[in-house]
Amino acid sequence: MATNCTDYDFSQIEPHWQKIWDENKTFRTSNDTSKPKFYVLDMFPYPSGSGLHIGHPEGYTATDIITRARRAQGQNVLHPIGWDAFGLPAEQHAVKTGAHPATNTQANITAFRRQLKALGFAYDWDRQVDTTDPKYYKWTQWIFLQLFKRGLAYVDERPVWWCPELRTVLANEEVIDGKSEVGKFPVERRNLRQWVLRITAYAERLLADLAHVDWPDSTKRMQEAWIGRSEGAEIVFSLEPGTPADAASPGGLKVFTTRPDTLYGATYMVIAPEHPLVDALTTPENRDAVAAYRKQAAAKSDLDRTDLAKDKSGIFSGSHAINPVNGARIPIWIADYVLMGYGTGAIMAVPAHDHRDWEFAKKFALPIIPVVQPPAGVEVDLEKASFEADGTMVNSAEFDGLPVGEAKKKITAKLAAQNRGKPTVNYKLRDWLFSRQRYWGEPFPIVWVSEADYKKAAATRAADLPPQPVTYKESEVRSQESGVNPSGSEAAADLPATNPQTWYALPLPESALPLTLPEIQNYLPSGTGESPLANASDWLEIWFNTATGEAVPATQPKPDGDNWARARRETNTMPQWAGSCWYYLRYLDPQNENAIADPALLKYWGVPDLYVGGAEHAVLHLLYARFWHKVLFDIGVVPQNEPFTKLFHQGIILGEDGEKMSKSRGNTVNPDDIIKTHGADSLRLYLMFLGPLEAMKPWNPQGIEGVHRFLQKVWREVISREGGINPKISADAKDSDELVKLLHETIKKVTDDIEGLRFNTAISAMMIFSNALQKAPAVSTATVRAFIQLLAPFAPHMTAELWSRLGETGPVLEAPWPKYDPAKLVVTEQKIVIQVNGKKRGEIMLPVGATQDTALAAARENPDAQPHLAGKEIKKVIYVPGRILNLVVG
């Protein structure tokens, strides 16, 4: 019991029960496999310095309500929490202050944990995970090694967003309107060596298996669009013989198209500014103009480049290609509306039947040749717009007169027979860029060795290596202008004489995990495109034992033994996505040092039965996690094919101004402030009462007063003014039939609504019941106890106090959940309102199906209606069974 006070004093009650829950580990989850399990998961937060915002407790309260209800219903419930704590904000704080990112990160975690505990969430704190803990990221590194040895991780030079001011690479989501999200600094495109994960190898499964998960349709559609499966043809356009372009690419220029039927209408080609053949295709007289155009395109985001409303831009390369079906010589243009990230980075342009191509052709006066005739009655003016619908073929040689669908198949077959094309399935999905040039991220468990040392290691570690070696040339990493000795030490004579050196990726043995981050003096990026790790020479340049994973700085003499090789550690770190791809599995067995989790626990707990989080993660996080999970499934680590069975997105809470909450708008709400003025239970209840959980809802500070008064009223109905139990509540009290019926209706309603995540209507039902409780002259203790149990998941602190004062022992969430009796819900009587000349004059209770005569007789006997009927003639009777009896009198 928190206090003997008579008032609802949340400022004493809430800390009291939070302390008890903490000390007793009330919410610790056992691995009792004899119980039915339920695993409910929140998308874990990034612990920023600004603390929780009001959007966090909205989703967390919803899952907490479910957790408490399911536990009371006898299920073994797992409801964990953790911290997605790597990333750029902590690194930028380190750059500014010189403090280690871990220092600031742990301070933020401490603040977040305090806030979450102040909200009374039933988390099992013994299972919390932190993605920056080496004991955790050991297994992130282990998963990467599984991807690596299966050929799903490789190195490639890719265009990335480079911020000169931050001296680092930024992800697409960290660039807004051509500027960095942090600091608002200008960014530019730059090619850098990157680790890439081959997520495209799983594209078909990622698409097909969406049919097997219970997710919002909108989220499924977003993933389908992101994967972007399309059927078409890959077509080869040969280049003019004898030209530099032909010499650079004797196999020609490949394009992917979903409309091979329009090939006869291709009047020019377009390649992306980043296409590897740009230099070879650009003739000397066009070189300066092309270089200027490419620089201009490099400053644009993919979204800007593909904006349908934008004015088309481009530059002629000076070269031509040959149309494979008619031998036509067509010009090759460079334009930023074509992206390297889709198809082959080159398109055949058919302006008569594609709007973007039509706009480009009109601007640059290129030919427009129709090859699809519209159906009869459809007028098309190619001077005003393209025609993109189906029809019949024209101007297409032997294919004239064929329907579009048939022409696609026959033209593709002709190309295949001539070895100039083939049917192809293409995906918009690109392989996952998995590198960051930062310090604060998981180090890659990779060292780079010479070809000779790689082959030597392969003789004993073949099972750890990918089908094809992963390599890079040193000159691609060490900038010539950086002035850094490529070897990183004076012992360059120990390296092979090859210049530039080709390095081979060799994985650390699993016994050498985790590979931890070194202590460094300066968190600024190297400025060469590498992370600050490139400056940690003792950590970077090493003698490496290929068998044991041992390492010593290369400045020391080479250790004795045949397995020691000169090596260089990987300087890239993993993106923040890495730790969040699999965290839900670590909750099952967070202290396991020998595996991600015990196989028995992976089988028992499985994957989350309910996953709640923001719709902003509908694509990237969910897609990446699905990819990793499927790989783990394929290698037998997990027994399920999909990571999240049921997904639910809570809606956004808007500021009072109706805008999305943000610091810049000054409309954010700090949960601490609300807890201080109204208590955590009031905040929890209000967040759930605002409207449907999935809806977008505006915050109204006045609205919380209503739910706060509701809690005060419940308190007063249970606790007397003297501080004891309300005298009208007793074990011997007999509830009215109406109250019993309402109680069972409320039990059914609240139980069903919690299951359906309809928390606002569950609260409404409890408010209705509290009104009936207030009016009842006497109430049984059992009824009050059942009502407190229904309210407990929503307002856990106050109900814990009331539960204790009623003399109950043990937590309220461990008491069996109330069950409704269907027999009590059967309606045998109905309330009939008596009206006399249209005005209410009384109420009567009648059996269901009572006749008009029965109702009239009861109305004559009703003491409230009698004065209005005495001595008067009833001229008309209007009777609506079960609702109203209206008597018109003279």
Side-chain angles (χ1 to χ4, degrees):
M1 188 181 300
T3 173
N4 290 321
C5 68
T6 60
D7 295 330
Y8 170 45
D9 187 355
F10 60 84
S11 65
Q12 291 190 50
I13 292 170
E14 292 181 352
H16 168 79
W17 286 103
Q18 289 163 14
K19 182 180 179 183
I20 289 177
W21 296 334
D22 217 25
E23 290 175 349
N24 295 339
K25 296 191 175 182
T26 303
F27 308 127
R28 183 166 53 187
T29 302
S30 74
N31 290 320
D32 181 1
T33 59
S34 66
K35 280 185 168 185
K37 69 92 181 181
F38 188 79
Y39 181 5
V40 58
L41 181 64
D42 303 299
M43 291 185 182
F44 65 168
Y46 176 81
S48 67
S50 57
L52 289 176
H53 58 73
I54 207 69
H56 285 116
E58 180 194 16
Y60 297 170
T61 299
T63 55
D64 194 64
I65 290 169
I66 296 166
T67 294
R68 292 170 176 273
R70 291 275 189 158
R71 285 187 66 167
Q73 291 164 9
Q75 293 182 324
N76 193 14
V77 181
L78 177 58
H79 187 211
I81 192 66
W83 318 105
D84 189 13
F86 274 127
L88 185 59
E91 182 145 346
Q92 286 303 302
H93 185 270
V95 169
K96 293 175 183 177
T97 65
H100 196 288
T103 303
N104 184 54
T105 298
Q106 290 307 312
N108 293 342
I109 287 175
T110 298
F112 265 57
R113 187 163 48 232
R114 175 194 60 77
Q115 288 183 296
L116 292 174
K117 287 187 175 182
L119 285 157
F121 295 137
Y123 290 127
D124 181 351
W125 289 102
D126 287 348
R127 292 178 183 255
Q128 68 179 317
V129 300
D130 172 359
T131 59
T132 69
D133 183 348
K135 293 179 181 177
Y136 178 89
Y137 70 70
K138 166 186 178 178
W139 296 104
T140 308
Q141 293 172 336
W142 181 87
I143 296 172
F144 174 81
L145 292 181
Q146 311 316 305
L147 295 163
F148 175 80
K149 68 183 182 181
R150 283 162 179 78
L152 296 172
Y154 62 97
V155 165
D156 195 12
E157 191 170 275
R158 293 291 180 91
V160 295
W161 286 117
W162 172 261
C163 178
E165 183 69 26
L166 296 176
R167 301 170 74 184
T168 189
V169 170
L170 301 177
N172 286 332
E173 61 272 12
E174 294 165 340
V175 177
I176 300 174
D177 297 329
K179 294 181 179 179
S180 62
E181 184 180 24
V182 175
K184 308 299 180 187
F185 301 118
V187 298
E188 62 188 42
R189 286 288 194 183
R190 180 181 290 189
N191 282 340
L192 285 179
R193 181 186 65 85
Q194 305 287 329
W195 278 98
V196 186
L197 298 187
R198 211 180 300 275
I199 191 173
T200 51
Y202 281 71
E204 193 63 40
R205 285 171 61 185
L206 289 168
L207 186 63
D209 289 347
L210 286 170
H212 307 305
V213 293
D214 183 5
W215 287 16
D217 287 340
S218 59
T219 301
K220 288 186 178 184
R221 288 195 298 271
M222 289 176 70
Q223 290 219 351
E224 288 169 352
W226 191 268
I227 297 168
R229 186 184 193 276
S230 53
E231 295 184 4
E234 184 180 86
I235 301 173
V236 179
F237 285 72
S238 59
L239 301 172
E240 290 188 290
T243 62
D246 182 50
S249 182
L253 191 58
K254 292 181 180 179
V255 303
F256 170 80
T257 178
T258 59
R259 294 293 305 271
D261 54 298
T262 62
L263 184 54
Y264 284 86
T267 59
Y268 64 98
M269 297 187 73
V270 180
I271 62 173
E274 304 85 7
H275 197 285
L277 288 180
V278 167
D279 289 338
L281 289 167
T282 302
T283 55
E285 64 272 19
N286 290 14
R287 200 165 301 284
D288 289 344
V290 168
Y293 182 76
R294 294 180 78 183
K295 184 175 181 180
Q296 177 187 7
K300 297 180 182 180
S301 71
D302 290 353
L303 189 62
D304 290 336
R305 288 171 56 172
T306 56
D307 183 359
L308 295 179
K310 86 177 186 78
D311 184 40
K312 297 294 183 294
S313 66
I315 191 81
F316 178 45
S317 71
S319 294
H320 293 76
I322 307 302
N323 190 321
V325 291
N326 59 13
R329 183 172 178 266
I330 59 178
I332 302 173
W333 284 69
I334 302 162
D336 62 11
Y337 78 90
V338 176
L339 304 176
M340 275 305 298
Y342 181 73
T344 64
I347 66 166
M348 64 176 209
V350 186
H353 305 293
D354 182 277
H355 184 66
R356 293 187 309 166
D357 297 345
W358 180 88
E359 287 182 327
F360 193 91
K362 294 296 288 185
K363 180 172 181 176
F364 295 102
L366 295 166
I368 300 175
I369 300 175
V371 292
V372 178
Q373 178 70 37
V378 177
E379 296 294 330
V380 175
D381 185 353
L382 292 179
E383 286 299 312
K384 296 181 179 179
S386 60
F387 173 68
E388 300 181 21
D390 286 350
T392 54
M393 304 305 298
V394 295
N395 299 324
S396 299
E398 71 265 33
F399 303 102
D400 283 355
L402 292 179
V404 161
E406 188 175 348
K408 285 182 180 181
K409 296 177 182 177
K410 291 193 172 183
I411 290 177
T412 302
K414 178 180 179 179
L415 291 169
Q418 298 173 343
N419 203 27
R420 294 179 177 179
K422 61 182 179 180
T424 305
V425 173
N426 192 60
Y427 298 93
K428 183 180 176 183
L429 179 68
R430 298 293 90 193
D431 279 345
W432 175 10
L433 194 65
F434 197 69
S435 284
R436 297 293 182 269
Q437 287 65 46
R438 302 175 187 158
Y439 170 78
W440 196 231
E442 298 92 339
F444 281 93
I446 294 290
V447 296
W448 295 95
V449 299
S450 69
E451 181 180 11
D453 286 325
Y454 181 84
K455 289 181 177 178
K456 187 176 178 181
T460 57
R461 295 187 58 195
D464 296 336
L465 303 179
Q468 298 295 325
V470 175
T471 66
Y472 80 83
K473 287 187 178 181
E474 189 172 66
S475 59
E476 295 172 350
V477 174
R478 285 306 218 191
S479 170
Q480 295 294 326
E481 62 192 36
S482 71
V484 178
N485 181 340
S487 71
S489 78
E490 298 301 322
D494 295 319
L495 296 173
T498 307
N499 189 25
Q501 168 89 27
T502 297
W503 294 86
Y504 285 69
L506 192 65
L508 267 62
E510 293 177 11
S511 59
L513 302 181
L515 171 63
T516 59
L517 290 164
E519 296 291 332
I520 61 175
Q521 299 300 315
N522 191 341
Y523 299 100
L524 280 171
S526 65
T528 66
E530 294 179 283
S531 79
L533 294 175
N535 299 325
S537 57
D538 283 352
W539 180 86
L540 179 69
E541 304 287 349
I542 58 174
W543 296 111
F544 178 71
N545 190 306
T546 60
T548 66
E550 294 175 87
V552 296
T555 51
Q556 298 181 16
K558 181 179 180 180
D560 293 332
D562 293 337
N563 293 322
W564 289 95
R566 184 58 183 270
R568 184 175 191 271
R569 294 197 190 277
E570 173 61 66
T571 59
N572 285 334
T573 53
M574 298 185 200
Q576 189 173 353
W577 302 108
S580 63
C581 274
W582 71 280
Y583 73 109
Y584 58 95
L585 298 172
R586 191 59 177 171
Y587 285 137
L588 310 186
D589 198 6
Q591 305 307 320
N592 195 319
E593 297 181 359
N594 302 312
I596 284 177
D598 186 314
L601 296 179
L602 286 165
K603 182 178 180 181
Y604 171 63
W605 287 111
V607 296
D609 299 285
L610 175 64
Y611 193 26
V612 176
E616 66 271 19
H617 299 294
V619 175
L620 297 181
H621 159 60
L622 291 170
L623 196 66
Y624 295 156
R626 293 180 65 215
F627 167 47
W628 275 37
H629 191 90
K630 287 180 183 298
V631 173
L632 293 175
F633 173 74
D634 288 348
I635 64 177
V637 174
V638 296
Q640 308 85 7
N641 186 39
E642 282 286 334
F644 310 120
T645 306
K646 181 178 175 63
L647 175 69
F648 191 94
H649 298 308
Q650 80 273 17
I652 295 174
I653 296 182
L654 304 174
E656 292 181 62
D657 54 4
E659 299 289 336
K660 186 176 180 179
M661 288 187 181
S662 69
K663 288 183 180 179
S664 61
R665 293 192 180 98
N667 63 351
T668 58
V669 176
N670 187 337
D672 288 350
D673 297 336
I674 308 302
I675 291 172
K676 185 177 180 180
T677 58
H678 292 82
D681 283 352
S682 292
L683 174 58
R684 291 167 58 110
L685 211 64
Y686 182 53
L687 287 171
M688 297 298 98
F689 194 56
L690 274 171
L693 183 61
E694 68 275 15
M696 186 179 292
K697 305 168 283 286
W699 176 263
N700 181 355
Q702 284 74 43
I704 198 169
E705 293 293 341
V707 295
H708 188 63
R709 286 194 298 270
F710 163 65
L711 291 178
Q712 289 176 317
K713 182 167 73 172
V714 172
W715 178 271
R716 289 193 300 267
E717 286 308 307
V718 180
I719 305 300
S720 69
R721 293 182 178 180
E722 292 74 27
I725 299 300
N726 191 326
K728 75 176 185 179
I729 300 172
S730 70
D732 300 328
K734 180 173 175 54
D735 299 319
S736 67
D737 292 343
E738 188 175 356
L739 186 65
V740 170
K741 178 176 175 293
L742 182 59
L743 173 64
H744 286 265
E745 288 176 343
T746 307
I747 293 171
K748 184 178 188 305
K749 175 68 173 170
V750 172
T751 303
D752 291 347
D753 282 355
I754 289 175
E755 184 67 21
L757 309 183
R758 299 181 296 272
F759 303 113
N760 57 323
T761 54
I763 294 169
S764 295
M766 289 186 286
M767 287 178 169
I768 292 170
F769 185 81
S770 71
N771 290 334
L773 203 63
Q774 185 179 31
K775 295 175 183 177
V779 184
S780 71
T781 305
T783 292
V784 172
R785 185 192 300 115
F787 177 60
I788 289 173
Q789 288 180 265
L790 295 179
L791 182 58
F794 298 81
H797 303 90
M798 188 188 79
T799 52
E801 180 70 14
L802 295 177
W803 190 254
S804 174
R805 293 197 181 202
L806 283 170
E808 301 292 341
T809 59
V812 61
L813 82 166
E814 292 183 2
W817 187 254
K819 293 182 179 180
Y820 69 90
D821 182 353
K824 297 290 195 298
L825 303 181
V826 177
V827 178
T828 58
E829 287 188 319
Q830 294 176 310
K831 182 188 293 184
I832 306 295
V833 174
I834 304 170
Q835 289 185 343
V836 178
N837 290 342
K839 293 184 178 181
K840 181 180 177 180
R841 298 303 186 185
E843 295 177 348
I844 52 177
M845 295 298 297
L846 295 178
V848 173
T851 64
Q852 178 175 304
D853 290 342
T854 301
L856 184 58
R860 293 181 186 277
E861 299 296 325
N862 183 270
D864 295 323
Q866 277 182 345
H868 303 282
L869 298 175
K872 297 178 181 178
E873 179 186 357
I874 297 176
K875 294 186 174 182
K876 188 176 182 180
V877 177
I878 302 172
Y879 178 53
V880 180
R883 295 182 59 191
I884 191 171
L885 176 68
N886 188 12
L887 305 176
V888 180
V889 301

